Amino acid sequence: MRRYRLSSGFSAVSPVTLMFVCLVVLVAQECTRRRVCADPTVDDNEATTSEAKETPSWPLPPFPPQKWPWETDDAFAEKRRMAIKLIKEKGGVVSFAEDAADWWSKPASIPDRPIPSVPSSGGESPLIYSVVFAPTFLFGEVDFLPEDVDDDVVFAVLPYIPELKSLNLNFTRVTNKGLAAIADLRFLEELSLSCDWSDREPSPITDEGMKVIGMHPSLRWAFVQRMPITDCGVKYISRSRTIERLVMNGCPVTSECFVSLADMPMLGAFSCNRFSPDSAPESHWHGFAEPISSRVAQAMESLGGRLFCLSIRRVDAHPSFLEAVSKMHTLKIYLGPPLPTPSSAQQEGAVTRDRSNHP
């Protein structure tokens, strides 16, 4: 039986949770204005006109098929019904789209997504856009943990939900092997992974599991938290040409990870907050306290043209690291230790700062 310390970090009404929700909303809003953020000389009216004429700056997902497998294959349809039943038996939550247009528009953070002229509605089986295996709470305390969701469950379920857009596997027992199953979910855009990693409780997912994330053709938001994912794992993730937001709270990366992040053409938001000290031993904390190399400084400078959100709360950061952050002129949202004297662009209100290094 695994032991969890979730009450402090996952309280349903905690200030940290509320701040996280607000940050998600702000990031979603900024995603719709990325070209405006990159060019502060463009006013809102001009930007609206130009955006109406241009294609979105991110790669579009593949168009849905004329017919889904369960519409033409009775055996597939039966296995799909069994898969949905298994998800619910394991405490998972299945979210169905109202119709094909609703499914195609998910997630809502993607604006101006063109809709296929004849989208398939899925026939008798409604389209599924989200499956969640995650802890549930009752009065702020953990009520349920998906401990019996493992690789076998993933392989029995995911092949029969090919249209899935969002998948949450927080605190499951899925390993690197099971995570590889997302490679066949070509419409998947959001992935959430988290575990209760500690010295006594090894993580089922390691750096090796990040390979499938980096190679996925459609992922836009990746949440990889409370896991022993190092700079090596970030290097695997950096192969992605589509990820816009990467959240690695509670992962022991160092400033060297920014060299890999600089290779991600669509990255606009990066979060690497440290959880409260009792949630992980000191050996698992982030390594931003050492002076950064010239290679890291150059990488961070190159991110200054793309990154609009950076969150590094509760970390110990070297002055050279903070100096490099202060030079990221496109930052709109910054949460972390105080920066050196801001640049002129930042003085004009381009950066929202969290001057406190505490919750």
Side-chain angles (χ1 to χ4, degrees), residues 25-312:
V25 173
L26 288 171
V27 170
Q29 291 174 341
E30 288 296 329
C31 280
T32 67
R33 303 180 59 189
R34 289 192 63 179
R35 286 184 294 278
V36 180
C37 294
D39 186 3
T41 63
V42 179
D43 62 37
D44 289 342
N45 293 332
E46 182 181 350
T48 301
T49 302
S50 63
E51 286 195 352
K53 298 178 181 178
E54 297 176 3
T55 57
S57 59
W58 47 80
L60 288 172
F63 274 19
Q66 294 267 330
K67 292 286 185 179
W68 294 98
W70 62 87
E71 296 183 82
T72 57
D73 186 336
D74 291 340
F76 190 100
E78 178 59 27
K79 291 178 180 178
R80 178 179 171 86
R81 285 191 288 269
M82 296 301 295
I84 295 173
K85 180 181 178 182
L86 180 59
I87 293 172
K88 295 178 179 179
E89 288 176 349
K90 297 297 183 180
V93 177
V94 180
S95 297
F96 295 91
E98 294 181 4
D99 50 36
D102 180 49
W103 170 82
W104 181 249
S105 68
K106 307 288 185 182
S109 58
I110 300 182
D112 304 323
R113 170 177 286 188
I115 299 177
S117 57
V118 187
S120 173
S121 297
E124 295 181 1
S125 181
L127 294 170
I128 296 172
Y129 69 84
S130 172
V131 169
V132 176
F133 290 110
T136 58
F137 301 88
L138 185 64
F139 304 115
E141 297 295 328
V142 177
D143 180 54
F144 166 77
L145 287 170
E147 292 185 300
D148 57 348
V149 177
D150 54 18
D151 292 349
D152 290 339
V153 173
V154 167
F155 288 125
V157 166
L158 295 188
Y160 305 103
I161 313 178
E163 78 278 24
L164 195 63
K165 292 289 195 74
S166 177
L167 177 62
N168 187 319
L169 295 173
N170 288 346
F171 298 95
T172 64
R173 290 187 183 274
V174 175
T175 69
N176 294 340
K177 180 181 178 181
L179 185 59
I182 72 168
D184 295 326
L185 299 176
R186 64 194 186 105
F187 297 99
L188 189 68
E189 296 180 4
E190 297 181 352
L191 176 66
S192 184
L193 303 170
S194 185
C195 74
D196 190 40
W197 171 50
S198 69
D199 287 333
R200 291 177 295 179
E201 186 64 45
S203 168
I205 295 178
T206 62
D207 284 336
E208 195 71 13
M210 300 300 101
K211 290 182 177 180
V212 69
I213 293 179
M215 298 301 292
H216 197 280
S218 301
L219 273 178
R220 292 183 60 250
W221 284 29
F223 296 79
V224 182
Q225 306 184 87
R226 294 174 179 258
M227 293 180 174
I229 308 304
T230 67
D231 296 340
C232 180
V234 178
K235 187 173 183 179
Y236 291 140
I237 295 174
S238 70
R239 297 172 181 172
S240 172
R241 306 295 89 183
T242 57
I243 290 179
E244 284 194 351
R245 185 182 183 197
L246 178 60
V247 177
M248 300 190 68
N249 299 332
C251 296
V253 298
T254 73
S255 60
E256 288 291 324
C257 78
F258 282 84
V259 175
S260 297
L261 296 177
D263 291 333
M264 301 177 68
M266 302 308 302
L267 187 66
F270 178 62
S271 177
C272 193
N273 302 317
R274 191 179 80 194
F275 285 110
S276 56
D278 62 348
S279 66
E282 187 173 355
S283 60
H284 299 170
W285 292 356
H286 314 316
F288 297 151
E290 299 297 323
I292 65 173
S293 65
S294 59
R295 186 173 69 145
V296 171
Q298 291 174 359
M300 295 179 70
E301 182 177 0
S302 70
L303 280 168
R306 286 170 282 152
L307 210 66
F308 64 79
C309 175
L310 177 64
S311 182
I312 51 171

Side-chain angles (χ1 to χ4, degrees), residues 40 326-329 340-351 353:
S326 69
K327 295 179 180 179
M328 294 181 177
H329 62 277
T341 303
S343 64
S344 58
Q346 292 167 341
Q347 288 175 341
E348 294 174 0
V351 177
R353 293 201 185 93

